[in-house]
Amino acid sequence: MAWMKEMPANPVVAVAGATGAVGQEFLRVLHDVDFPASEVRALASARSAGKKVPFAGCGLVPAGDLVVQEMTPTAFEGVDIALFSAGGSVSKEMRDAVVAAGAVMIDNSSAFRMDEDVPLVVPEVNPKDVAWHSGVIANPNCSTIQMVVALKPLYDLSPIKRVVVSTYQAASGAGAPAMAELYDQTRAFLDGTPEDELVIDAFAHRISFNCIPHIDVFLDDGSTKEEWKMVVETKKIMGDEDIQVSATCVRVPVLRCHGEAINVEFADEVTVDAARTALEAAPGVVVMDDTNNKVYPMPGLLAGTDGTFIGRLRQDPTVPHGIAFWNVADQIRKGAALNAVQIAQLLLP
Ligand code: NAP
């Protein structure tokens, strides 16, 4: 059953996971878009209760530190929009309390993404799906978001039969501690710390000076859950069960911004020029493609940006109607906080 409660013009917003990589970005994005909140509540674990997080203000909320409150079921009383980035188990634990409080949960974890009563939304692709939520809207996986933002304008030229994608995923995709691990481990490695004394916690192996083809857990078919998410989430967001997606997800020693090498096979002919024109006109997409001048998107130079950047656009001659390109986006912004706040904007009256 669709949600009946009306969203006030100046909602009370809770940021659940406010001390984390995505939570901190939520606070920055709320300010950047001047979200018309009447209150912003910072919630995290008991470990962080009482800590202060800086906030630049938005809507009716002035700039100033927010005091972190412990996330308990009662912390959501009076909340209209709860932006969640505290991991799947916390989302599952808090869902009933959030919905009972009359708030809409916009969840960054993978806990509910494939549930039938939960829309999975990328505002540039399927904004209308927010209409049928029943209290929870899921933010897709970060790698999927930046891919579908680019696929949508191409799909509008011709149905897409198959996508082959290889990801180059930043360390921060595993959270703030993982980003710190990349810094500290790189320093230790350069200082000559022996391999067996390096601190390896956030990833299965050393991430400094390495690439790890292993994100999330392995499944019975030999793929990883991260790769599976890209397959099933793409179909759900694009509303086309027939799109075939083959994904290989790799963690690389980059701080922020995922890169993706993408090959698309269309049902009908799509020229490189037509693809370029469609991408240039697409919301959220920035074409950065001038190889003569060495211009193409690079993760190291795009941290903190909002776009999905496309470069190296070319024909893929190995299939009848193929296009290949390179795609970069800041996965903490468009892949998480920004996309979720854009969903929240769709809920405003
Ligand atoms: P993170 O940096 O490790 O932050 C985790 C946050 O959750 C912290 O605020 C932490 O609070 C809070 N938290 C942890 N356990 C809690 C508990 N039991 N009760 C209440 N709060 C708790 O992780 P992150 O990267 O921001 O990711 C958070 C979620 O977003 C995950 O589901 C992740 O899959 C998803 N996501 C992340 C990215 C990304 O690029 N990083 C992208 C898309 C989606 P304390 O500081 O008090 O421990």
Side-chain angles (χ1 to χ4, degrees), residues 25-75:
E25 204 63 42
F26 269 137
L27 296 175
R28 282 190 280 271
V29 174
L30 288 168
H31 167 75
D32 292 347
V33 305
D34 196 17
F35 196 81
S38 58
E39 181 190 334
V40 173
R41 214 173 277 180
L43 307 175
S45 77
R47 294 179 291 274
S48 303
K51 276 190 193 163
K52 289 183 178 159
V53 287
F55 181 49
C58 72
L60 307 178
V61 186
D65 288 347
L66 302 176
V67 179
V68 177
Q69 298 173 38
E70 183 181 352
M71 196 190 315
T72 60
T74 53

Side-chain angles (χ1 to χ4, degrees), residues 17 19-22 44-45 47-48 71 85-87 90 108-109 172-173 175-176 331 335-336:
T19 52
V22 177
S45 77
R47 294 179 291 274
S48 303
M71 196 190 315
S85 65
V90 177
N108 264 283
S109 81
S172 56
Q331 93 289 345

Side-chain angles (χ1 to χ4, degrees), residues 48 78 85 108 113 157 162 209 223 238 264 295 345:
S48 303
S85 65
N108 264 283
R113 287 183 190 146
L157 298 175
R162 179 167 184 251
F209 302 97
S223 66
M238 302 284 290
V264 181
V295 173
Q345 288 176 312

Side-chain angles (χ1 to χ4, degrees), residues 16-24 43-49 51 68 70-71 84-91 93-94 107-110 113 139-143 145 170-178 229 251 258 330-333 335-337:
T19 52
V22 177
Q24 289 287 292
L43 307 175
S45 77
R47 294 179 291 274
S48 303
K51 276 190 193 163
V68 177
E70 183 181 352
M71 196 190 315
F84 259 78
S85 65
S89 55
V90 177
S91 297
E93 202 182 309
M94 293 292 158
D107 184 36
N108 264 283
S109 81
S110 58
R113 287 183 190 146
N139 205 59
N141 169 263
C142 43
S143 307
I145 292 177
S172 56
K229 287 175 204 163
R251 189 75 72 188
H258 292 347
D330 184 328
Q331 93 289 345
I332 305 185
R333 280 186 81 89

Side-chain angles (χ1 to χ4, degrees), residues 161-321:
K161 288 170 69 176
R162 179 167 184 251
V163 180
V164 180
V165 55
S166 300
T167 70
Y168 301 64
Q169 296 186 219
S172 56
M179 216 185 317
E181 185 162 316
L182 173 57
Y183 267 121
D184 297 344
Q185 204 185 69
T186 302
R187 202 171 285 122
F189 187 86
L190 290 173
D191 285 346
T193 305
E195 189 83 30
D196 59 0
E197 288 177 26
L198 292 171
V199 177
I200 296 174
D201 196 22
F203 305 107
H205 299 275
R206 161 163 66 83
I207 184 64
S208 53
F209 302 97
N210 198 13
C211 295
I212 307 173
H214 173 185
I215 301 180
D216 211 328
V217 295
F218 280 102
L219 305 178
D220 289 344
D221 67 357
S223 66
T224 62
K225 194 158 178 212
E226 183 81 354
E227 291 157 357
W228 172 83
K229 287 175 204 163
M230 291 195 79
V231 175
V232 295
E233 292 183 19
T234 299
K235 292 172 190 268
K236 181 167 176 176
I237 299 161
M238 302 284 290
D240 184 346
E241 280 299 314
D242 293 333
I243 299 179
Q244 299 301 305
V245 179
S246 173
T248 303
C249 293
V250 181
R251 189 75 72 188
V252 297
V254 159
L255 279 171
R256 264 178 93 135
C257 294
H258 292 347
E260 298 181 346
I262 301 177
N263 290 59
V264 181
E265 184 182 353
F266 298 95
D268 311 311
E269 189 186 351
V270 172
T271 64
V272 171
D273 284 348
R276 187 183 306 279
T277 303
L279 286 164
E280 281 171 348
V285 174
V286 181
V287 176
M288 192 185 246
D289 192 21
D290 178 6
T291 48
N292 287 335
N293 290 305
K294 301 181 204 159
V295 173
Y296 28 72
M298 288 180 284
L301 305 183
L302 289 170
T305 56
D306 288 345
T308 295
F309 295 82
I310 306 294
R312 301 288 324 279
L313 191 59
R314 62 206 190 275
Q315 196 195 355
D316 175 356
T318 64
V319 291
H321 307 299

